[in-house]
Amino acid sequence: MNGLKSLRGSAAIAGVATFGCGEAPGYSDMELLANAARAAVADAGLKMSDIDGLCTASGAATMWAMPVVEYLGIRPSYIDGTMIGGSSFIAHLLPAMQALQSGQCNAVLVCYGSAQRTATFGRREVVASRRFLDPQPYETPYEPMQPLSAYALAASRHMHEFGTTRRQLAEVAVAARGWAQRNPEAFMREPLSIDEVLGARMVCDPLTVRDSCLVTDGGGAYVLVRADRARDLPNPPVYVLGNGTAVWNRQISSMHDLTVTAARDSGRAAFAMAGLAPKDIDVVQLYDAFTINVLLFLEDLGFCAKGEGGAFVEGGAIGPGGRLPVNTNGGGLSCVHPGMYGIFALIEAVRQLRGAGGERQVAGVKTALAHGNGGTLSSQSTAVLGLEETL
Amino acid sequence: MNPPTLLDSEGGVLARHQAALNEGRFLIQRCSSCARAVYFPRELCPHCGHAELAWVHPAGTGTVYAVTTVRRKLEAGGDCNVSLIDLDEGVRLMSRVEGVPSGDVRIGQRVQARVVQQNGQGLVVFDLLAAEGAGA
């Protein structure tokens, strides 16, 4: 771990951008990615020709880095196409820091785009194709509605073991909506009450459609450079203090304990590298594919004890004005969720650290945590970020 | 140098497990080295890495570990139970509990495996074990 500690703060996020979040009819995955990439590079005060490192992943294309290289017209000396679901774009951080530190590259672009909502080949078709390209022969015959059924199974177990209630799960959705109402980029901004979540259409018991993330379009990108270079660029550098990634299983039926995710390991590694603890974190961005995720990750990352996630979020505790600001953009539940959300969690953490959150800005943010989840509670990656004074 | 490993004429463990199910037999594996039960079938033990895994007939009894009901329209097949079942041998699998409305399936209920043929393929499903009663 000493070697990783030496990387603490060695790189910084110098540029971020989103594009086409919500509905972007007529745009392809690549066009959304390219617009976000161009804007992130500009935000960093760089030109596309400065980019010599690329990290990207796609929910559909297995060789996605190649068409992205071609489309952007870059010649990267560092390429990471690791695809572990929605956490990928946070998991890309640590290898990119190592590549920057070794001198393999000087400016890494991490980018994603998906037209999942409006594309003719959308979520339904991707799920159908995956049955052949990436089979799960021990689960598929039972016709789970994935990924939703896996999270519903985890929620059923959490409720059974800890007495967690549907009302506590609903608190997560209501808090996210409260933040979304303060974010002009968020897709769903009308008021939402706990009773409305409880009364919403049940999809996989105990999860309703309002316990579930949106299906939107959107692109997101960020640019990572060495810390010394970041100080010469226009934006206040957002330093990467720690990053950890863990995968324990792919299928929900292979998960040892449905109430404990690999976020326990990814969080421990990220905090160890950062030399910080949950109490030191000012804003928290958690991949909220479903409401149960937030309870699991608050527990596994150490913001509360195992089993106490439900009680922790009660009374608007993670919404605007609550004790811990969580998912300040409105999250995957109310802001944006184009197939894989991880990069948007990281972008929101950077915006909060820059003080660029507008009406939703949390006062005095110096540290932030962004946590990505992938598959069906399968992959977890945690990043701890901070401003200059946290170095 | 290790001697070359021979291919099994019946194919890999996925094919052999399915072939047994198609004949109505539910098999799991047990590691010849660490003696732990293994499911889903592997070519090597996920606990100790050993390559020798023996096929064994599980008792078929188990406990509901987690449960959901997939809400579907009637024309899409209607509501569907999806459960995770812990076999008494110590392995978990996805399956469904039949014979009762999905909403009546509870975590902790004791269940018994049964092999059915679905779309021309053998498949393990479970029934509630009434004699042992509910709750655990």
Side-chain angles (χ1 to χ4, degrees):
Chain A
M1 195 53 78
N2 276 343
L4 293 184
K5 262 195 160 160
S6 72
L7 288 172
R8 179 192 194 272
S10 67
I13 296 167
V16 296
T18 55
F19 181 84
C21 292
E23 287 184 334
Y27 279 81
S28 69
D29 293 356
M30 186 66 82
E31 289 162 354
L32 294 170
L33 175 151
N35 277 285
R38 183 200 51 75
V41 171
D43 184 55
L46 298 172
K47 301 189 294 292
M48 194 57 82
S49 56
D50 295 321
I51 298 299
D52 59 0
L54 175 71
C55 307
T56 191
S58 156
T62 53
M63 292 180 267
W64 185 240
M66 296 188 301
V68 172
V69 164
E70 172 184 279
Y71 198 99
L72 298 179
I74 57 178
R75 297 275 176 96
S77 52
Y78 172 73
I79 298 166
D80 184 358
T82 302
M83 169 54 175
I84 51 171
S87 66
S88 301
F89 312 93
I90 296 176
H92 288 154
L93 275 171
L94 186 56
M97 293 169 81
Q98 292 169 324
L100 286 165
Q101 205 55 31
S102 73
Q104 184 181 354
C105 59
N106 298 297
V108 180
L109 170 67
V110 184
C111 50
Y112 175 65
S114 170
Q116 191 184 68
R117 184 179 180 87
T118 55
T120 50
F121 194 86
R123 203 187 85 81
R124 183 185 300 270
E125 289 77 15
V126 168
V127 167
S129 310
R130 225 175 251 150
R131 285 192 175 204
F132 298 97
L133 297 172
D134 184 19
Q136 292 181 267
Y138 300 98
E139 291 196 344
T140 304
Y142 299 102
E143 301 177 67
M145 186 191 293
Q146 297 292 37
L148 183 51
S149 295
Y151 292 87
L153 288 165
S156 82
R157 192 68 205 178
H158 205 275
M159 293 167 80
H160 174 80
E161 285 196 26
F162 305 118
T164 305
T165 64
R166 284 190 55 212
R167 179 168 286 272
Q168 290 170 333
L169 292 171
E171 285 270 8
V172 174
V174 169
R177 186 61 58 87
W179 288 113
Q181 289 183 293
R182 290 158 173 77
N183 178 7
E185 196 178 37
F187 188 63
M188 294 193 83
R189 304 184 66 201
E190 54 274 29
L192 181 69
S193 70
I194 287 182
D195 285 338
E196 285 170 321
V197 179
L198 294 175
R201 177 172 62 87
M202 189 63 78
V203 189
C204 282
D205 299 63
L207 302 180
T208 71
V209 66
R210 292 277 83 85
D211 288 288
S212 309
C213 62
L214 307 169
V215 176
T216 71
D217 301 329
Y222 66 89
V223 175
L224 190 73
V225 297
R226 279 186 295 278
D228 55 348
R229 189 178 193 193
R231 292 183 191 109
D232 297 330
L233 297 175
N235 286 301
V238 170
Y239 297 91
V240 184
L241 305 177
N243 180 218
T245 299
V247 179
W248 291 348
N249 58 277
R250 185 267 180 91
Q251 303 177 103
I252 197 73
S253 54
S254 290
M255 194 166 166
H256 294 279
D257 178 343
L258 261 60
T259 69
V260 181
T261 75
R264 202 183 60 183
D265 279 356
S266 68
R268 196 178 285 154
F271 278 123
M273 181 174 161
L276 295 176
K279 64 173 173 44
D280 302 317
I281 302 297
D282 297 325
V283 291
V284 177
Q285 315 295 340
L286 305 174
Y287 193 136
D288 55 342
F290 302 94
T291 50
I292 183 66
N293 295 40
V294 171
L295 304 192
L296 288 169
F297 299 151
L298 285 170
E299 296 169 0
D300 291 336
L301 296 172
F303 290 95
C304 62
K306 180 50 65 185
E308 292 178 6
F312 186 88
V313 302
E314 281 183 338
I318 61 170
R323 80 174 114 151
L324 181 69
V326 175
N327 295 348
T328 49
N329 58 348
L333 290 166
S334 282
C335 179
V336 61
H337 194 290
M340 297 194 282
Y341 171 75
I343 200 165
F344 300 93
L346 193 80
I347 290 167
E348 175 64 9
V350 171
R351 287 174 169 166
Q352 285 286 339
L353 282 161
R354 286 182 180 177
E359 199 191 334
R360 68 184 188 282
Q361 180 64 44
V362 176
V365 176
K366 296 180 181 63
T367 58
L369 179 143
H371 180 79
N373 162 76
T376 49
L377 291 171
S378 315
S379 74
Q380 307 293 334
S381 187
T382 311
V384 177
L385 309 174
L387 294 177
E388 186 92 34
E389 58 214 273
T390 65
L391 287 177
Chain B
M1 205 171 121
N2 294 323
T5 307
L6 295 175
L7 292 177
D8 192 302
S9 61
E10 293 174 52
V13 294
L14 169 62
R16 280 181 274 159
H17 172 261
Q18 188 61 53
L21 280 177
N22 294 350
E23 295 168 359
R25 290 179 293 121
F26 175 31
L27 299 173
I28 66 171
Q29 294 172 306
R30 188 171 293 283
C31 178
S32 309
S33 178
C34 74
R36 291 181 68 173
V38 173
Y39 198 86
F40 58 95
R42 311 287 219 287
E43 296 281 346
L44 78 171
C45 176
H47 306 295
C48 73
H50 197 69
E52 299 291 319
L53 294 165
W55 293 107
V56 294
H57 289 276
T61 46
T63 305
V64 177
Y65 175 75
V67 61
T68 186
T69 301
V70 181
R71 304 292 188 105
R72 301 188 303 199
K73 291 177 180 151
L74 271 179
E75 56 268 32
D79 289 355
C80 162
N81 175 264
V82 173
S83 295
L84 297 182
I85 308 294
D86 284 347
L87 293 184
D88 292 346
E89 285 78 5
V91 292
R92 180 173 299 156
L93 71 157
M94 180 175 283
S95 186
R96 64 171 175 259
V97 178
E98 295 193 336
V100 291
S102 181
D104 291 347
V105 179
R106 299 268 180 271
I107 290 172
Q109 282 174 332
R110 294 286 291 161
V111 290
Q112 171 72 49
R114 172 165 56 90
V115 179
V116 298
Q117 301 298 319
Q118 174 181 299
N119 305 322
Q121 298 266 293
L123 188 70
V124 183
V125 299
F126 287 83
D127 299 304
L128 290 182
L129 263 178
E132 294 189 33

